[in-house]
Amino acid sequence: MIWDTHAHLDDDSYKGDFQDVLARMEASGISRVTNVGYDLASSERSVTLAQDYDFFYAAIGIHPHNAEEVTEETWGKLLELAKNPKVLAWGEIGLDYYRDLSPRPIQKEVFIQQIKLANEVGLPIVIHNRDAHQDVMEIVKAYPPRYGGIFHCYSGSWEMAEILLKLGFYLSFAGPVTYKNARHTVEVARNAPMDRILVETDSPYLTPEPRRGKRNEPTYVREIVKKLAELRNLSIEDVAEKTMRNAESVFRLVYTRQKV
Ligand code: NI
């Protein structure tokens, strides 16, 4: 049983074969998926998936790319969605200085605002950080998430990881940990405490080897589990089990509340 803690299965690329994707996922022991919003519409779709399927859970929030689209109305609607018991996190939120699709001051403002909202409604946060290490660190130190959080597709150094671990964050690994040039990510995946790591696909993006470049899907989260098992000299079952417990812990999901 594996929990894919970050996916976007509401993406258009699944329109033609959504049920097949779910069937493959079920057949390969992927028992839970957190579908993550990046704007208001995708947050709504994530909640709909979580309502329609037992194994889907939702995260809601505004990605830094979409920060500029936010209006006062957006917050009211997200707060309404947050009341759904299958909404387990606020995200993905953060900073993206690689593509800079929204102006940086607005990205920061929207990131901070969402940490405050997550604190208000009692949800952990899911952080997207691309080429913005320093500002992300400053913000999470100045505005600590009261219910913890996840650095999704962790890509920073081991030095940064150590600080984040001290601050209580979980680190989530995706396809890049299987890539040949992923020296830093591999170092972190090898050294992070076993009770603070998660696995994800970020489907349809970041497809792990050996399918890199093709569309991703939750089934391939097995490649991440396999890689972690190799790096840490553990069995695949062991990594699956431990990352499942970690996900239950960060998402505060009482096992008996939602049997899968
Ligand atoms: Ni994502």
Side-chain angles (χ1 to χ4, degrees):
M1 299 233 293
I2 302 174
W3 191 329
D4 179 356
T5 62
H6 191 119
H8 306 278
L9 290 197
D10 56 304
D11 189 81
D12 280 347
S13 61
Y14 301 107
K15 280 240 156 71
D17 63 346
F18 186 66
Q19 291 305 329
D20 298 335
V21 169
L22 298 189
R24 280 195 289 274
M25 184 184 114
E26 222 182 326
S28 51
I30 317 308
S31 51
R32 289 172 179 159
V33 176
T34 306
N35 204 80
V36 180
Y38 51 86
D39 63 2
L40 183 58
S42 61
S43 297
E44 285 169 347
R45 292 195 298 271
S46 298
V47 173
T48 302
L49 280 176
Q51 274 172 332
D52 290 350
Y53 298 90
D54 279 352
F55 50 83
F56 270 119
Y57 295 87
I60 57 160
I62 309 295
H63 192 284
H65 289 342
N66 305 82
E68 214 177 1
E69 300 162 12
V70 166
T71 64
E72 262 319 300
E73 219 186 12
T74 313
W75 302 137
K77 287 187 170 161
L78 286 173
L79 285 169
E80 218 24 67
L81 289 175
K83 290 179 186 160
N84 189 300
K86 290 197 77 186
V87 172
L88 301 186
W90 198 294
E92 56 188 293
I93 63 177
L95 303 176
D96 193 311
Y97 292 174
Y98 179 73
R99 295 186 65 195
D100 274 324
L101 294 188
S102 287
R104 291 182 183 185
I106 296 179
Q107 290 191 39
K108 286 192 200 172
E109 191 188 314
V110 166
F111 182 26
I112 292 168
Q113 175 69 14
Q114 293 185 95
I115 297 176
K116 290 179 181 166
L117 290 173
N119 287 348
E120 223 172 83
V121 297
L123 291 175
I125 58 174
V126 179
I127 295 178
H128 171 102
N129 162 30
R130 193 150 184 211
D131 292 356
H133 298 333
Q134 199 180 331
D135 283 357
V136 166
M137 296 291 278
E138 273 173 25
I139 288 175
V140 297
K141 281 181 188 161
Y143 303 90
R146 205 173 291 152
Y147 299 88
I150 300 167
F151 270 74
H152 125 75
C153 189
Y154 185 76
S155 63
S157 64
W158 171 244
E159 289 68 30
M160 178 172 154
E162 282 186 298
I163 299 170
L164 294 175
L165 290 163
K166 276 197 196 110
L167 293 172
F169 285 100
Y170 286 73
L171 308 178
S172 180
F173 296 96
V177 75
T178 69
Y179 300 168
K180 276 210 173 67
N181 57 358
R183 236 187 47 241
H184 289 291
T185 311
V186 162
E187 190 192 357
V188 177
R190 189 182 278 131
N191 293 320
M194 201 55 213
D195 62 352
R196 299 286 280 286
I197 64 178
L198 301 167
V199 292
E200 63 166 288
T201 56
D202 202 21
S203 297
Y205 316 108
L206 301 178
T207 311
E209 295 288 3
R211 296 182 190 81
R212 187 175 182 179
K214 307 220 170 78
R215 185 191 69 177
N216 204 357
E217 60 180 71
T219 303
Y220 307 151
V221 76
R222 286 205 153 272
E223 301 298 335
I224 318 300
V225 172
K226 203 172 110 191
K227 183 73 187 187
L228 289 174
E230 254 170 56
L231 288 172
R232 309 194 59 125
N233 212 9
L234 293 169
S235 70
I236 287 178
E237 293 69 30
D238 229 9
V239 172
E241 154 88 21
K242 293 209 162 84
T243 53
M244 173 64 88
R245 297 293 157 244
N246 296 344
E248 286 178 346
S249 155
V250 68
F251 290 135
R252 292 182 161 70
L253 188 78
V254 180
Y255 193 66
T256 49
R257 187 174 112 195
Q258 189 77 41
K259 274 234 168 74
V260 173

